[in-house]
Amino acid sequence: MNTPIKLTFLILCIALTATAFVVPAKRADVTPEHDKTVAGICSVVEDKNLCSITLKTVPSNDPAFLVRYLATAAESSVKKGLNFLSGIKPKYKGNAFATNCITGCEKQLNSALEDFADFWKAAGKNITSMADNYFTCKKKMNSIFTYHSTCLDDIYDKTLLKEVQGGIGLGKRMSGESVDVFAGMDKVFNTLNIKTKLNQQDTDSLLPPPLSFYYH
């Protein structure tokens, strides 16, 4: 499959993935305010085309909703990646290296889904909760992205790497979009004139209490 065909196929997959979450708005219903919000969010990501394709027909002007939508697309792609790995595992029965690599990737992606559960608790459903838990949201999304990289870095067989990368690559790219958004959230807020302050302290409830807690 040559590169232009691959790119066309990937864009089609992204579009189909995006439409699975909400009923797309008619283009006539997408307002200038919506376009401005999408442009503000996508301005901080590396792959602006992927970001725009994912968000352009989402029927909401709410920045928090759109940021959550990107994360939802990433989570859905991770789940599809797990299904892909489960599907190719039987053909590598008897190949210990390949089986171990695939099993390792499954563990990594399941860990990513666990972090998604924590991410949703931290992000909440509005811009205030997302800002209050900003550092934790950013940390969880970075972790989710890293799980994909760890999986692929452990595969040194080029043929197997290409196959696995083809199956989980969209999850990595979509989580990378969210990583970029949270890394550039200050700029997004400035662009959209959002005055809410981003909390740079970790609010992860799973963290142990500070040392001062033990010395009252």
Side-chain angles (χ1 to χ4, degrees):
M1 189 182 292
N2 60 38
T3 299
I5 294 175
K6 282 184 178 178
L7 180 59
T8 302
F9 179 72
L10 178 58
I11 291 173
L12 177 60
C13 288
I14 293 166
L16 291 174
T17 298
T19 56
F21 309 124
V22 298
V23 177
K26 295 178 181 178
R27 190 62 203 168
D29 296 332
V30 177
T31 64
E33 183 64 25
H34 171 272
D35 287 339
K36 177 183 175 182
T37 306
V38 170
I41 293 171
C42 293
S43 68
V44 299
V45 306
E46 182 177 350
D47 191 341
K48 294 176 174 56
N49 187 49
L50 175 59
C51 180
S52 177
I53 287 171
T54 307
L55 297 181
K56 67 180 180 179
T57 57
V58 180
S60 175
N61 299 331
D62 179 8
F65 184 92
L66 293 169
V67 171
R68 284 173 57 87
Y69 189 89
L70 270 181
T72 301
E75 184 179 36
S76 177
S77 296
V78 171
K79 291 177 180 177
K80 289 179 179 178
L82 275 168
N83 288 337
F84 169 82
L85 293 174
S86 178
I88 67 170
K89 184 183 281 188
K91 79 176 185 178
Y92 288 104
K93 186 178 181 180
N95 184 329
F97 172 75
T99 299
N100 287 337
C101 286
I102 294 168
T103 300
C105 285
E106 288 176 324
K107 290 179 179 177
Q108 295 291 338
L109 295 194
N110 276 312
S111 294
L113 291 181
E114 290 177 5
D115 272 4
F116 265 116
D118 292 336
F119 170 83
W120 295 123
K121 292 175 187 176
K125 294 189 177 181
N126 57 56
I127 207 70
T128 301
S129 59
M130 192 174 288
D132 287 346
N133 296 295
Y134 165 72
F135 183 89
T136 300
C137 289
K138 182 172 71 169
K139 180 185 72 172
K140 293 298 180 182
M141 199 53 68
N142 280 327
S143 178
I144 289 163
F145 179 80
T146 300
Y147 285 126
H148 287 80
S149 298
T150 301
C151 155
L152 296 172
D153 289 346
D154 288 343
I155 304 174
Y156 59 78
D157 180 273
K158 291 184 179 180
T159 301
L160 180 61
L161 175 61
K162 184 177 181 180
E163 182 173 16
V164 172
Q165 199 164 24
I168 74 168
L170 183 57
K172 183 179 181 181
R173 289 185 66 193
M174 292 304 304
S175 58
E177 295 286 278
S178 288
V179 167
D180 288 349
V181 168
F182 279 95
M185 193 67 81
D186 270 324
K187 181 181 177 181
V188 173
F189 274 30
N190 287 335
T191 299
L192 301 179
N193 198 30
I194 299 171
K195 303 301 183 183
T196 308
K197 185 177 179 180
L198 297 173
N199 182 13
Q200 300 290 344
Q201 300 299 314
D202 200 335
T203 56
D204 192 339
S205 62
L206 298 178
L207 289 175
L211 288 177
S212 58
F213 175 85
Y214 299 102
Y215 297 101
H216 288 303

